Amino acid sequence: MFRVNEDYLKLPGSYLFSTIAKKVAAYQEKNPDKKIIRLGIGDVTQPLCPAVIKRLHEAVDEMADAKTFKGYAPDLGYQFLRDIIAENDYKQRGVAIESDEIFVSDGAKSDSANIQEIFAKESKIAVCDPVYPVYVDTNVMAGRTGTYDSATGLWSDVIYMPCTAENNFAPEFPKETPDLIYLCFPNNPTGSTITKDMLQEWVDYANKNGSVIIYDAAYEAYISEENVPHTIYECEGARSCAIEIRSFSKNAGFTGTRLGFTVIPKDIQTPDGVMLHSLWARRHGTKFNGAPYIIQAAGAAVYSEEGKRETKEQIAYYMNNASYIYEGLKSAGYTVSGGVNAPYIWLKTPDQMTSWKFFDYLLETANVVGTPGSGFGPSGEGYFRLTAFGSYENTVEAIDRIKAL
Ligand code: MLT
């Protein structure tokens, strides 16, 4: 008789955003005439920008012509896109990343989920708490997290780095030394950031301890403050300890078209010279047939002059929503943070409500959907996340409804 991967059975409940989607669908079914405003999952609402749409159309037409038709994409990504990324995201920032250190993928979610595969099963992981649930869940699936304590919401073999109002939602060095450190800045879910000097300390810590940092920079395009690093490779020594994961979803609206990339510098090596770069290339070759040509062509258009201008406008649009949420809630007496370098606003639930209680309360009384902070980890209890990715009209309506409660 077949047996299942029992590590999957350890996962408590369903994936956070699936749980929310089910709850909202059930509420809508019971209340069909209510207009629900969704500020839960960080999904964009603005259409793809004209430069991207134009390139998509052209690329589709290329597929109709035998001379320009493309079959399987190169598993590591088309060279034209890898070159553009290396130039724009790294070289122009004075950062030495070569195009062959860039692995194009179908998105940052898959990469942040899969990257753990190239590390030993016994690897000790450290995560911020609260945290994007993919990092922990995928390590649970890989049998790396020990046992789950439903009373505390903690896994016995995971090192948690609480990010609370007391430490300005920035992790502190853990007592126990991790092998893998997941960091995400600008942060999902708290919307916080750390300065370049603080990130440098993490890079120094990782190099000193032989740890690898998995740096999720999916929200990089939302950085508005000067001293916040756009890439971990701005820090000295990051080439020997850091993997960076990037997305086209949040900066250019590719949530539905899927595109992202991971950077693995060739300098990250075991003492006997095994390069993580080679392992990831091997994995990509075996498990991935490349992101579609059409989508990679559209991704390259994000870096054209028009693409840069148009995507900047979209980011400004979402950040205008972010300030509306931030200011609106603040004026209504909520304790809020985030929303300055990230499209997420992190608020304290009123009247000591638990995160899930506030979720239900908001859904039922204001018909607004957000994300319960405790869904991201125990330190998120008593907090709630709202996303700025809605339309401006819906954002205004949602905040006005909350203020009227
Ligand atoms: C989120 O809402 O946290 C993200 O949108 C989820 C994701 O990007 O997978």
Side-chain angles (χ1 to χ4, degrees), residues 15 17 40-43 109 132 134 188 219 250 344 376 385:
Y15 183 60
F17 293 103
I41 192 164
D43 194 3
K109 181 172 184 178
Y132 179 45
V134 168
N188 178 14
Y219 299 93
K250 318 292 174 169
Y344 294 126
F376 297 100
R385 192 192 78 176

Side-chain angles (χ1 to χ4, degrees), residues 159-230:
I159 302 171
Y160 291 90
M161 303 180 290
C163 296
T164 61
E166 286 69 48
N167 57 21
N168 233 347
F169 305 103
E172 289 158 32
F173 296 122
K175 290 193 187 76
E176 194 183 348
T177 307
D179 299 302
L180 302 180
I181 305 164
Y182 286 87
L183 295 179
C184 172
F185 291 109
N187 187 256
N188 178 14
T190 66
S192 68
T193 44
I194 57 174
T195 62
K196 185 174 165 192
D197 287 349
M198 288 161 85
L199 188 57
Q200 181 67 57
E201 286 179 25
W202 278 99
V203 168
D204 295 344
Y205 172 90
N207 275 324
K208 190 173 114 221
N209 293 299
S211 318
V212 169
I213 297 174
I214 297 168
Y215 192 71
D216 182 346
Y219 299 93
E220 168 274 334
Y222 291 83
I223 294 171
S224 66
E225 291 180 324
E226 269 298 305
N227 60 351
V228 178
H230 286 255

Side-chain angles (χ1 to χ4, degrees), residues 87-313:
E87 176 60 31
N88 286 269
D89 287 320
Y90 298 104
K91 298 219 167 95
Q92 286 180 11
R93 290 198 179 280
V95 166
I97 291 294
E98 299 306 322
S99 61
D100 67 353
E101 295 175 312
I102 293 163
F103 298 82
V104 177
S105 72
D106 67 346
K109 181 172 184 178
S110 322
D111 284 354
S112 60
N114 294 328
I115 196 73
Q116 45 76 27
E117 283 183 34
I118 61 172
F119 295 93
K121 183 164 173 186
E122 309 70 49
S123 303
K124 197 90 190 178
I125 68 157
V127 295
C128 292
D129 171 25
V131 66
Y132 179 45
V134 168
Y135 313 154
V136 176
D137 284 7
T138 52
N139 279 285
V140 174
M141 291 168 175
R144 207 175 266 128
T145 53
T147 52
Y148 183 68
D149 181 343
S150 57
T152 60
L154 300 172
W155 292 90
S156 61
D157 291 353
V158 173
I159 302 171
Y160 291 90
M161 303 180 290
C163 296
T164 61
E166 286 69 48
N167 57 21
N168 233 347
F169 305 103
E172 289 158 32
F173 296 122
K175 290 193 187 76
E176 194 183 348
T177 307
D179 299 302
L180 302 180
I181 305 164
Y182 286 87
L183 295 179
C184 172
F185 291 109
N187 187 256
N188 178 14
T190 66
S192 68
T193 44
I194 57 174
T195 62
K196 185 174 165 192
D197 287 349
M198 288 161 85
L199 188 57
Q200 181 67 57
E201 286 179 25
W202 278 99
V203 168
D204 295 344
Y205 172 90
N207 275 324
K208 190 173 114 221
N209 293 299
S211 318
V212 169
I213 297 174
I214 297 168
Y215 192 71
D216 182 346
Y219 299 93
E220 168 274 334
Y222 291 83
I223 294 171
S224 66
E225 291 180 324
E226 269 298 305
N227 60 351
V228 178
H230 286 255
T231 156
I232 194 166
Y233 304 113
E234 287 176 36
C235 297
E236 217 169 295
R239 279 192 56 90
S240 57
C241 69
I243 292 174
E244 181 163 287
I245 296 173
R246 297 278 282 261
S247 167
F248 282 74
S249 290
K250 318 292 174 169
N251 64 331
F254 278 51
T255 53
T257 36
R258 311 305 306 146
L259 192 64
F261 62 91
T262 285
V263 180
I264 308 191
K266 293 184 180 161
D267 302 8
I268 316 180
Q269 300 187 9
T270 63
D272 43 3
V274 177
M275 291 196 290
L276 291 184
H277 181 277
S278 311
L279 300 189
W280 190 242
R282 185 68 176 82
R283 186 213 173 266
H284 241 48
T286 302
K287 295 196 175 184
F288 189 56
N289 256 342
Y293 169 71
I294 296 165
I295 306 301
Q296 293 195 50
V302 171
Y303 294 92
S304 65
E305 280 317 308
E306 310 81 65
K308 282 182 188 167
R309 184 173 31 79
E310 291 163 3
T311 51
K312 236 188 202 149
E313 282 166 13

Side-chain angles (χ1 to χ4, degrees), residues 369-400:
V369 180
T371 310
S374 58
F376 297 100
S379 295
E381 183 55 280
Y383 283 90
F384 202 73
R385 192 192 78 176
L386 289 176
T387 160
F389 284 125
S391 69
Y392 177 69
E393 295 71 24
N394 277 345
T395 302
V396 168
E397 192 176 335
I399 297 309
D400 292 352

